[in-house]
């Protein structure tokens, strides 16, 4: 049996005079003669404990005098309402036990980005990082719940792979016994194999991209939630994508309001995302909008972060862009009927400048066209023989998409850099801690 103690949240619910036993870390401490004010932090919040020399054993008072920020403690005491206390209640300590002292904690919260990244293992204790991690968990568990409810099977594709999905330029190579292998960029091809038995599948895996440049929205390792559905058209899959996102964002706002407020998030800007359908524009329309806004773009160009940002100014909720030029999209995307220069691909962009959070498509079923595209990409068709088999043995129309969890967390929390959406971010130049 796990030992029993009260959380800070439990303590805040207690009536005056009730006893509590708290365990946590010293968030802040102020010593004043024969009194010490100790703010104790646990995973639910912070509460102030007041320790007085007269109420503690002499051993305990000695320990209190040595206490520093981030020491770990157990405080027994009684709850007392006090309007001056930060949370309206405090704990009058009757006993204080120290588990581990802390030398002066290196972080105060005003350090520069690289210092905080070097001390990430400690910075994770901050209320900011704690709030973001909670929002992240809520978003993911809401999505998992939605997928279960809608009948999608969770599956576990491999991470070590023999071939590229999203272009050779961002592959991480690893030594695989006496062969060369790669870290997976996307589980998609494996999910495509699994739809022939389970039909509606999804997976959550780390995906790896050797992004050469450092940007605010690219990680080298990110968590990728991918779906694949047999018999689904692009339009069907877009409906799945918007319902999934709308549900997760609503749940995050309902359950993590306090954390979002701590992060300074303007929640009213998230509310439009609760309602589906989301607007849809084609790539052609996107180019027209950008031209009108004075961007020097022409048809066939990739939409970069700046272009996406400009497009998001036109919408107050997430929106889709569909029908991209074939030459800027991956080999597996299906040609649009009657328009061989475009594919049935879609991106979902989050508003307020955040941009792409989902990329998906209907998949090419025609084996000859698929083979031609594999060759055009410069891939070795031998590595894709198994994938081509999926078109040989009872091929079905199907579609899928991938959602970058960190991209969604970034948007929902309203933070301006992807690095804080994940406990230990990986990007070029950063592998420690
Ligand atoms: O658009 P992408 O590259 O699409 C695929 O990988 C498809 N195979 C997915 C599929 O259809 N099953 O990536 C999908 C999403 C992007 O929309 C973005 O949210 C996220 O993954 N993403 C990244 N997130 C963080 N860092 C990176 N370097 C990312 N690259 C993509
Ligand atoms: Mg994409």
């Amino acid at each position: 049996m796990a030992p029993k103690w009260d959380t800070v949240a439990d303590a805040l619910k207690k009536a005056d005079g009730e006893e509590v036993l708290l365990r946590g870390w010293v968030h802040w401490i102020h010593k004043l003669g024969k009194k010490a004010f100790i703010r104790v932090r646990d995973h639910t919040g912070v509460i102030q404990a007041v320790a007085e020399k007269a109420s503690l054993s002499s051993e305990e008072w000695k320990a209190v005098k040595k206490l520093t920020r981030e020491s770990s403690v157990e405080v027994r005491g009684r709850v007392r309402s006090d309007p001056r206390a930060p949370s309206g209640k405090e704990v009058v300590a009757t006993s204080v036990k120290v588990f581990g002292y802390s030398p002066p904690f290196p972080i105060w919260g005003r350090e520069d980005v690289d210092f905080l990244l070097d001390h990430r293992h400690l910075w994770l204790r901050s209320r900011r990082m704690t709030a973001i991690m909670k929002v992240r968990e809520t978003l993911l568990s809401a999505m998992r719940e939605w997928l279960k409810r809608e009948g999608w099977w969770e599956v576990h594709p491999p991470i070590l792979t023999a071939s590229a999905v999203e272009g050779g330029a961002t592959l991480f190579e690893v030594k695989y016994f006496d062969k060369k292998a790669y870290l997976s960029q996307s589980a998609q091809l494996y999910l495509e194999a699994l739809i022939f038995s389970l039909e509606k599948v999804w997976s959550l895996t780390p995906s790896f991209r050797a992004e050469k440049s450092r940007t605010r929205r690219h990680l080298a390792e990110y968590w990728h939630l991918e779906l694949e559905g047999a018999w689904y058209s692009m339009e069907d899959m877009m409906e799945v994508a918007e319902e999934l996102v709308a549900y997760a964002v609503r749940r995050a706002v309902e359950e993590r309001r306090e954390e979002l407020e701590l992060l300074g998030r303007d929640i009213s800007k998230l509310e439009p995302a609760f309602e589906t359908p989301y607007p849809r524009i084609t790539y052609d329309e996107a180019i027209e909008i950008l031209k009108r806004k004075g961007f020097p773009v022409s048809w066939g160009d990739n939409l970069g972060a700046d272009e996406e940002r400009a497009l998001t100014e036109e919408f107050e909720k997430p929106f889709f862009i569909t029908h991209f030029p074939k030459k800027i999209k991956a080999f597996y995307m299906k040609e649009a009927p009657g328009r061989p220069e475009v594919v049935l691909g879609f991106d979902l962009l989050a508003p307020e400048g955040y941009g792409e959070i989902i990329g998906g498509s209907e998949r090419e079923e025609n084996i000859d066209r698929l083979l031609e595209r594999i060759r055009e990409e410069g891939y070795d068709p031998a590595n894709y023989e198994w994938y081509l088999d999926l078109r040989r043995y009872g091929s079905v129309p199907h579609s899928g998409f991938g959602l970058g969890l960190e991209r969604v967390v970034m948007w929902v929390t309203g933070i301006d850099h992807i690095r804080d959406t994940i406990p230990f971010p990986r990007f070029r130049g950063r592998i420690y801690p």
Side-chain angles (χ1 to χ4, degrees), residues 75-305:
V75 176
R76 189 183 288 281
R78 287 183 192 287
V79 171
R80 177 172 75 188
S81 291
D82 184 341
R84 289 166 306 173
S87 46
K89 282 190 181 158
E90 58 183 23
V91 173
V92 182
T94 51
S95 144
V96 177
K97 181 174 153 192
V98 180
F99 285 92
Y101 290 102
S102 171
F105 201 64
I107 303 175
W108 287 92
R110 275 187 280 278
E111 292 77 9
D112 67 44
V113 168
D114 281 316
F115 183 91
L116 292 178
L117 283 169
D118 287 339
H119 295 82
R120 189 65 162 196
H121 50 297
L122 301 178
W123 178 234
L124 287 173
R125 303 180 185 194
S126 63
R127 301 197 79 194
R128 172 183 161 84
M129 288 306 302
T130 306
I132 298 170
M133 292 305 118
K134 286 183 181 176
V135 175
R136 178 184 169 105
E137 194 277 342
T138 301
L139 283 166
L140 182 56
S141 45
M143 288 193 259
R144 194 183 284 281
E145 197 180 294
W146 188 90
L147 289 162
K148 177 95 187 151
R149 197 180 72 198
E150 298 292 320
W152 295 81
W153 296 97
E154 183 173 5
V155 295
H156 297 95
I159 303 299
L160 288 166
T161 63
S163 45
V165 186
E166 297 298 326
T170 59
L171 279 176
F172 273 113
E173 201 178 298
V174 292
K175 201 164 147 324
Y176 187 67
F177 305 106
D178 54 350
K179 285 204 163 70
K180 209 156 80 173
Y182 306 101
L183 297 177
S184 170
Q185 296 171 308
S186 161
Q188 180 191 322
L189 307 191
Y190 297 98
L191 297 185
E192 285 186 63
L194 283 155
I195 61 164
F196 288 81
S197 51
L198 297 168
E199 297 190 36
K200 294 165 68 175
V201 297
W202 73 280
S203 62
L204 176 69
T205 58
S207 274
F208 300 87
R209 307 278 170 109
E211 307 281 356
K212 305 291 183 288
S213 52
R214 280 168 72 152
T215 80
R216 281 154 18 131
R217 57 179 198 164
H218 288 92
L219 291 165
E221 176 183 300
Y222 71 96
W223 286 83
H224 203 173
L225 191 150
E226 293 178 276
L227 276 76
E228 198 71 29
W231 324 108
Y232 277 68
S233 66
M234 172 170 84
E235 183 55 43
D236 295 335
M237 216 59 204
M238 287 161 63
E239 286 174 20
V240 172
E242 64 193 354
E243 293 306 327
L244 176 69
V245 169
Y247 181 77
V249 175
R250 184 192 286 272
R251 284 276 306 273
V253 168
E254 280 168 7
E255 292 173 27
R256 297 274 80 86
R257 186 170 286 273
E258 202 179 297
E259 287 78 10
L260 291 171
E261 279 167 3
L262 185 142
L263 294 166
R265 185 61 166 119
D266 180 352
I267 288 168
S268 70
K269 294 242 166 67
L270 290 171
E271 284 162 359
F274 297 175
E275 301 303 328
T276 57
Y278 294 160
R280 286 138 165 79
I281 59 168
T282 61
Y283 171 88
D284 298 358
E285 288 166 327
I287 292 294
E288 287 317 308
I289 295 172
L290 289 168
K291 280 184 177 160
R292 233 174 26 239
K293 286 173 159 273
F295 276 80
V297 288
S298 42
W299 198 93
D301 289 351
N302 237 319
L303 305 178

Side-chain angles (χ1 to χ4, degrees), residues 329 347 356 359:
K329 287 291 178 185
D347 279 357
E356 181 183 346

